[in-house]
Amino acid sequence: MKEKSIRTVKKKYENIRIRFNGKSRRIRAASEAEASGYGGLTTVREATGTDYHTIGKGINGPEEESLTDIVRIRKPGGGRKRLTEKQPDISKAVKTPVGSSTGGDPESPLLRTGKSSCNIADELEKQGYEICQKSVYTILTEESGYSLQADRKTGGEREQHPDRNARSEYISEKTEAFRQEKCAVLSADTEKKENIGNYKNNGREYPEKGKPVGVNMHGFTDKNLGKAAPYGVYDIGMDKGWVSVGNDTSEFAVNTVRAWWYDMGESLYKNSGKIFITADPGGSN
């Protein structure tokens, strides 16, 4: 008779257990134990494998829980502690390996990273931290604004210089050193030449209805006006930029930096005796 009861309870429990969470299964087991009368606790224990203490919590639990806690599985504060609670400096440790090579960070002169979450986890484990690849991914994506992105081909078929990474890290270290000394750190770059004149430009404005701005029919270069290239200087520390337009020559580039100094830089860095300039090589090695 007892074995038959155990088989019956086990069959009913197996049919519903996958649809319930831990609390629901606990309460269901407790309800079955109470309905079975004398010996019900042992019967349910043998049929479901649920611990006596767990069934007992299910018997006493519903009367102690309010309606607002019906969806909660554990008591407040239950479960494993968050990784950041057990290792308070883990977030900083995760970001350290990619600190000088953060892609998309305007505060860093080195705008790329070759670190994966698996490599970072391995590196941190060697330092004594307890962390897995999934935790590294969670910290980077949810707390630090990183995203998982595929590789993108750049620079055609040219091979990367073997010292590219060392060079980039050296530039990053020099940049940080200059910023610590309150010296100017500039990023200089030029864009492709554009025709000078009344040419079509992407974008829209708000002229009077039915009277759009007229532009040249064709995009041929004006022989008299020619072309010009915008040359930009970006102050990394102050997050300010300066743009000149002229011929794309070395003299023009130097004059752009000179113009930036007299118009903006001199008042910002009057006590500075040096300037650090990083140039965009356009994929060149």
Side-chain angles (χ1 to χ4, degrees):
M1 186 69 178
K2 181 180 179 182
E3 292 181 359
K4 184 177 179 180
S5 295
I6 292 176
R7 287 197 300 270
T8 302
V9 172
K10 184 176 182 179
K11 185 176 181 179
K12 289 194 296 183
Y13 186 75
E14 289 297 325
N15 288 336
I16 64 172
R17 68 182 303 275
I18 60 174
R19 296 178 175 84
F20 292 162
N21 57 37
K23 175 182 286 188
S24 305
R25 289 193 292 268
R26 183 172 68 231
I27 295 175
R28 181 68 182 85
S31 176
E32 190 68 43
E34 288 185 311
S36 299
Y38 180 77
L41 195 64
T42 300
T43 300
V44 173
R45 165 69 183 86
E46 295 180 8
T48 65
T50 307
D51 186 79
Y52 289 116
H53 178 68
T54 302
I55 299 174
K57 287 177 63 178
I59 295 174
N60 299 322
E63 298 178 359
E64 301 173 354
E65 295 167 350
S66 64
L67 291 176
T68 57
D69 292 331
I70 195 66
V71 296
R72 181 183 290 277
I73 299 175
R74 296 188 178 97
K75 292 182 178 180
R80 291 185 299 173
K81 297 295 183 183
R82 290 177 61 87
L83 192 64
T84 50
E85 294 181 25
K86 296 192 293 184
Q87 303 176 95
D89 61 337
I90 193 65
S91 295
K92 181 179 179 181
V94 167
K95 290 183 283 186
T96 297
V98 295
S100 63
S101 56
T102 299
D105 182 1
E107 295 298 314
S108 173
L110 184 60
L111 304 181
R112 63 184 185 85
T113 179
K115 297 286 187 179
S116 68
S117 55
C118 292
N119 291 338
I120 296 173
D122 291 341
E123 190 171 328
L124 294 178
E125 286 181 351
K126 293 177 182 178
Q127 298 176 20
Y129 291 98
E130 294 182 6
I131 189 169
C132 63
Q133 175 271 334
K134 180 62 177 177
S135 296
V136 171
Y137 172 80
T138 300
I139 291 174
L140 289 177
T141 55
E142 297 183 4
E143 298 181 13
S144 306
Y146 287 78
S147 62
L148 188 62
Q149 302 178 41
D151 293 338
R152 182 178 61 183
K153 292 182 178 180
T154 58
E157 299 300 324
R158 292 173 294 187
E159 294 183 359
Q160 300 298 339
H161 194 282
D163 295 329
R164 180 175 182 176
N165 188 66
R167 178 189 64 185
S168 299
E169 291 183 355
Y170 171 78
I171 292 174
S172 179
E173 292 171 1
K174 293 290 290 184
T175 296
E176 188 61 29
F178 269 71
R179 292 181 62 181
Q180 291 294 331
E181 296 180 26
K182 307 299 182 183
C183 296
V185 178
L186 305 180
S187 175
D189 187 22
T190 185
E191 299 300 326
K192 69 182 184 70
K193 292 183 178 180
E194 298 286 352
N195 291 330
I196 300 176
N198 192 26
Y199 294 94
K200 179 174 175 56
N201 190 19
N202 292 329
R204 293 182 292 181
E205 296 180 342
Y206 278 97
E208 187 177 345
K209 187 175 182 178
K211 296 182 179 181
V213 177
V215 298
N216 294 346
M217 177 65 70
H218 301 289
F220 301 122
T221 303
D222 189 306
K223 294 182 179 180
N224 296 321
L225 298 177
K227 292 186 175 185
Y231 197 92
V233 175
Y234 173 62
D235 185 342
I236 296 176
M238 295 296 177
D239 192 21
K240 294 182 178 181
W242 169 274
V243 178
S244 291
V245 179
N247 295 322
D248 186 13
T249 63
S250 57
E251 291 84 359
F252 169 57
V254 171
N255 187 67
T256 299
V257 177
R258 181 187 294 112
W260 165 84
W261 173 258
Y262 287 127
D263 191 76
M264 296 176 60
E266 190 173 21
S267 60
L268 295 173
Y269 302 99
K270 57 184 177 181
N271 297 322
S272 174
K274 52 187 178 181
I275 299 176
F276 185 59
I277 302 176
T278 62
D280 184 349
S284 171
N285 288 319

